[in-house]
Amino acid sequence: MTTGRPTRARSHRRPRRRGIRVLLALVAVAAVLGIAVVAVPMLRPAGPRPLFQMPVSCGETWQLSTYPGHDDYDVDFFPTEGEAWGRPVLASYAGTVTVAGINGSLGSRTPENPEGARGRGGGYWVKIDHGGKWETQYLHMLEPPLVTVGQKVAQGDQIGRLGSTGNSGAPHLHYEQRRGWDKVETRFDGTPSGITTDEREQILRRVSNNCPAVS
Ligand SMILES: [Zn+2]
């Protein structure tokens, strides 16, 4: 025998290689399409900023705060009057609920047992998609959210009750506004909150204008 391969074998191999090439080409096309489906919406610019309102009841004064290690732009809401536990948490703006569940673990902090075991992460939380890549999220709620995934909410609808589930020291609402992948400075009623960095402690006060629409 010589080292040359029989022509018969070679002629058999060719169609098989062609088949593999076609298959690889199809896989490549599918991959490019898959990436495009994911990437194109990401590259699309965000829509106009919704006129967000504070996630708490109309006319109430709340403390907005942050502390070192929190995360830039994150806002913790504490009421300045009355009991914090169980206070209504309201949708900042109309949208569709995309998350309503548990982030991390709940722990066991309740009004009856405020020093109970600390949980991890956000506890009971909700995320709302407002369209145009704008989202808000609401953490540490007392009980399972009052809304479900896919539900449409209007501005001011109650989505849960304020609590201390997850990694929370005291009953409060942790709140974020996001544009695409990025957290941004929260704005309420068109005015920036002023909480931009977690490099230092900040405590502000603001009155909620999350009020029922007058018709
Ligand atoms: Zn927080």
Side-chain angles (χ1 to χ4, degrees):
M1 283 292 278
T2 62
T3 51
R5 285 175 183 154
T7 37
R8 225 173 111 245
R10 211 178 282 164
S11 67
H12 269 224
R13 231 163 249 164
R14 265 180 202 147
R16 211 182 305 155
R17 276 192 196 143
R18 209 174 297 145
I20 289 167
R21 260 184 233 134
V22 169
L23 188 66
L24 285 174
L26 285 173
V27 167
V29 167
V32 167
L33 283 175
I35 289 165
V37 164
V38 173
V40 168
M42 277 163 48
L43 297 171
R44 202 182 296 148
R49 183 191 305 265
L51 188 61
F52 292 119
Q53 295 295 344
M54 284 166 59
V56 293
S57 298
C58 172
E60 290 183 355
T61 302
W62 283 64
Q63 176 187 301
L64 284 62
S65 58
T66 192
Y67 56 87
H70 197 204
D71 201 7
D72 289 349
Y73 304 119
D74 289 3
V75 180
D76 284 350
F77 280 85
F78 294 86
T80 57
E81 283 173 25
E83 183 63 73
W85 292 104
R87 289 284 269 272
V89 175
L90 311 183
S92 275
Y93 193 77
T96 305
V97 175
T98 53
V99 175
I102 298 169
N103 175 273
S105 69
L106 296 175
S108 60
R109 299 197 164 194
T110 62
E112 297 73 34
N113 186 23
E115 300 300 317
R118 220 186 244 252
R120 284 180 288 105
Y124 283 125
W125 73 306
V126 166
K127 192 167 172 177
I128 301 175
D129 179 354
H130 304 285
K133 302 176 86 172
W134 286 92
E135 294 175 313
T136 51
Q137 49 191 58
Y138 313 75
L139 277 60
H140 308 308
M141 293 194 288
L142 177 61
E143 294 159 349
L146 301 172
V147 291
T148 53
V149 172
Q151 187 177 332
K152 299 251 190 293
V153 292
Q155 187 171 60
D157 280 357
Q158 186 176 356
I159 58 172
R161 299 176 69 202
L162 190 144
S164 199
T165 56
N167 184 11
S168 167
H172 74 286
L173 174 70
H174 174 109
Y175 174 87
E176 300 173 17
Q177 290 177 0
R178 289 170 179 256
R179 182 180 53 210
W181 298 108
D182 303 319
K183 292 184 195 186
V184 294
E185 181 179 2
T186 50
R187 287 194 193 195
F188 302 108
D189 209 25
T191 310
S193 70
I195 294 184
T196 54
T197 173
D198 72 344
E199 280 168 22
R200 62 186 182 282
E201 190 178 64
Q202 269 186 286
I203 299 176
L204 308 166
R205 281 173 156 236
R206 251 185 108 146
V207 178
S208 172
N209 196 26
N210 198 340
C211 303
V214 182
S215 54

